[in-house]
Amino acid sequence: MVETSSATPGVTSRREATRQKLYEAAVTLIAEQGFSATTVDEIAERAGVAKGTVYYNFASKSVLFEELLRHGVGLLTTSLQEAAERTGREGGRTVDALDAMVRAGLEFIARYPAFTQLYVAELWRTNRAWQPTLMVVRRQVVAVIEDVLRAGVARGELSGEIDVSLTAAALVGMVLVAALDWQSFQPERSLDDVHAALSRLLQGRVGGRG
């Protein structure tokens, strides 16, 4: 979150810590019982703060939820970018960067399962006031992968016939759906195991090629 320049480091740090508590409380409660059923009182109680603190930081529950979406997707986008950049510095190919992003996505989902469940559920709703915000943050995630795909095409590592936007969206969807299935129905699998399976899909070796 961007703070005004007049705030001192100590004040900014405390406010960010409070906001983080509110984010975590809100995402857990809303994932458990839905947005409409979750009250500001419950969010405040779960976060261990006064109700007025919620309204001091966010104008309403809806504003809190929109900021929650931006905050969570911002963390995800940063992790994907860092994975791709790290691979580039190490001399990896485009497919290596994409593979690193797949792992980064799985690690994010494993760390923030409630947020991921909430994000996926909201993608399918069309009657929310924050739908424009949701579309913006979805675009941010897909755009990071599009950039890597376009760079791969430019370097001749990927076919120029690739549909960049659809492929990027498909990769995001693959990771989200596979990870949620893993956590809900196959929790005995390790992250390494799930990553290895998706890596084989990514590299086109599902049929045993390569």
Side-chain angles (χ1 to χ4, degrees):
M1 309 294 293
V2 177
E3 300 292 338
T4 61
S5 58
S6 60
T8 64
V11 172
T12 299
S13 178
R14 288 195 296 274
R15 187 175 187 189
E16 284 303 305
T18 298
R19 284 181 166 232
Q20 184 63 35
K21 288 180 182 178
L22 291 171
Y23 287 138
E24 293 173 358
V27 73
T28 302
L29 286 167
I30 295 171
E32 289 174 355
Q33 58 194 34
F35 177 82
S36 297
T38 299
T39 67
V40 172
D41 285 336
E42 290 174 318
I43 293 172
E45 181 179 0
R46 180 69 66 93
V49 302
K51 181 178 179 179
T53 301
V54 180
Y55 290 115
Y56 175 76
N57 285 276
F58 305 99
S60 67
K61 186 174 69 170
S62 292
V63 170
L64 168 56
F65 189 76
E66 286 193 56
E67 290 299 323
L68 173 62
L69 289 172
R70 293 182 185 278
H71 178 71
V73 172
L75 292 175
L76 173 58
T77 302
T78 297
S79 68
L80 295 178
Q81 288 175 325
E82 289 177 346
E85 291 169 359
R86 182 170 58 252
T87 304
R89 290 194 299 270
E90 295 171 353
R93 302 167 300 157
T94 299
V95 69
D96 298 320
L98 293 171
D99 187 57
M101 295 171 87
V102 166
R103 185 175 184 89
L106 291 173
E107 290 173 345
F108 175 88
I109 292 167
R111 184 175 181 182
Y112 304 106
F115 174 81
T116 305
Q117 293 168 11
L118 193 59
Y119 173 74
V120 171
E122 290 299 320
L123 281 175
W124 295 98
R125 301 181 189 275
T126 58
N127 60 341
R128 299 298 206 190
W130 51 79
Q131 191 68 19
T133 296
L134 187 62
M135 293 301 98
V136 168
V137 295
R138 173 206 168 271
R139 181 64 195 153
Q140 290 174 351
V141 176
V142 175
V144 174
I145 300 177
E146 287 179 348
D147 289 344
V148 173
L149 291 172
R150 289 195 184 94
V153 171
R155 288 193 296 268
E157 295 178 5
L158 299 177
S159 169
E161 297 180 356
I162 190 173
D163 187 321
V164 170
S165 61
L166 187 57
T167 300
L171 287 172
V172 172
M174 177 184 74
V175 173
L176 286 174
V177 173
L180 291 177
D181 184 87
W182 159 40
Q183 296 193 335
S184 299
F185 304 112
Q186 305 180 66
E188 72 281 359
R189 288 181 178 271
S190 68
L191 191 150
D192 287 340
D193 189 20
V194 177
H195 175 226
L198 296 188
S199 182
R200 286 191 290 271
L201 273 174
L202 176 65
Q203 300 184 45
R205 292 190 279 117
V206 177
R209 299 187 302 276

